[in-house]
Amino acid sequence: AQSVSQHNHHVILSEAASLELGCNYSYGGTVNLFWYVQYPGQHLQLLLKYFSGDPLVKGIKGFEAEFIKSKFSFNLRKPSVQWSDTAEYFCAVRAGYGGATNKLIFGTGTLLAVQP
Amino acid sequence: DGGITQSPKYLFRKEGQNVTLSCEQNLNHDAMYWYRQDPGQGLRLIYYSQIVNDFQKGDIAEGYSVSREKKESFPLTVTSAQKNPTAFYLCASSIPRTGGTTKEKLFFGSGTQLSVL
């Protein structure tokens, strides 16, 4: 069965530290990859997405993610975090295209706390 | 096992027909949500409910309706007014965190793919 794994459940960093959140998926075919963020008191919003092309994608607020097909990974990175990045981050995978294979699968989330 | 159950997994709608997507959770969560996923886009919030007998519109509520008569259930009806219903629909629920820096933890169902005949 298809699945998404986020191995870091809770990450605590100081401001200006670098961030890398891991995301691995299990599916051998074509995938679309997403990172969503939920800030305190807010609903989910899209951080970035990968569909095709350059495997290094840039999102909002200085975030980026790299799709490494051979490793089935889509790790999220930011060179220097800010206190305002405190949130929960979800990795998601959409396997296949259209019709019956349009399913979106979420990881369990990584809670990031940035200390000032 | 505790979790969120969405049914059916696949649903087909005829023109002019209303269809209802089921979302049931046995996690004792107060808050529940409906999102829609379209190709090439991120999730968009349709409706959410923070407590039984109360719900609010999300970003794209037009053409949809919900009810929250029971804590465990948050069905979504796609009405004939929704002109582009083909999408993947995801239900979620959340529980308040005790401590930590975010107020709630989201859990997701497995989704329903709705297509128009």
Side-chain angles (χ1 to χ4, degrees), chain B:
Chain B
D1 291 333
I4 304 174
T5 302
Q6 287 188 242
S7 62
K9 290 187 177 180
Y10 307 105
L11 184 60
F12 296 91
R13 193 192 89 165
K14 295 179 181 178
E15 292 289 340
Q17 185 182 38
N18 292 356
V19 292
T20 297
L21 284 59
S22 170
C23 179
E24 303 277 331
Q25 53 100 357
N26 59 5
L27 302 167
N28 200 34
H29 290 175
D30 285 315
M32 298 185 73
Y33 309 82
W34 274 106
Y35 292 91
R36 169 179 170 145
Q37 161 84 32
D38 291 278
Q41 298 190 39
L43 287 179
R44 292 183 289 169
L45 182 64
I46 305 172
Y47 267 99
Y48 64 100
S49 167
Q50 301 280 38
I51 199 168
V52 175
N53 292 322
D54 187 46
F55 50 83
Q56 287 80 41
K57 293 181 179 180
D59 300 323
I60 54 164
E62 186 174 350
Y64 299 98
S65 66
V66 293
S67 63
R68 188 82 188 281
E69 297 175 1
K70 298 187 298 181
K71 190 176 187 178
E72 312 81 58
S73 179
F74 191 40
L76 174 73
T77 297
V78 184
T79 74
S80 57
Q82 172 49 245
K83 298 307 179 187
N84 186 23
T86 296
F88 181 79
Y89 291 84
L90 195 66
C91 179
S93 68
S94 70
I95 187 170
R97 291 186 189 278
T98 53
T101 53
T102 59
K103 294 183 179 180
E104 61 176 1
K105 168 69 180 175
L106 275 176
F107 295 81
F108 296 95
S110 57
T112 294
Q113 173 64 45
L114 174 63
S115 303
V116 176
L117 291 175

Side-chain angles (χ1 to χ4, degrees), chain A residues 5 20-26 31 33 35 50 55 65-76 91 93:
Chain A
S5 299
E20 180 160 3
L21 301 182
C23 174
N24 289 89
Y25 64 93
S26 62
V31 292
L33 300 159
W35 274 97
Y50 171 79
E66 185 174 12
F67 170 49
I68 303 179
K69 190 174 182 179
S70 61
K71 295 185 178 180
F72 298 90
S73 69
F74 190 55
N75 292 356
L76 180 71
C91 180
V93 173

Side-chain angles (χ1 to χ4, degrees), chain A residues 8-38:
Chain A
N8 312 107
H9 297 294
H10 196 178
V11 173
I12 302 173
L13 295 173
S14 299
E15 276 193 313
S18 63
L19 170 71
E20 180 160 3
L21 301 182
C23 174
N24 289 89
Y25 64 93
S26 62
Y27 181 71
T30 302
V31 292
N32 301 150
L33 300 159
F34 307 81
W35 274 97
Y36 284 89
V37 59
Q38 185 183 21

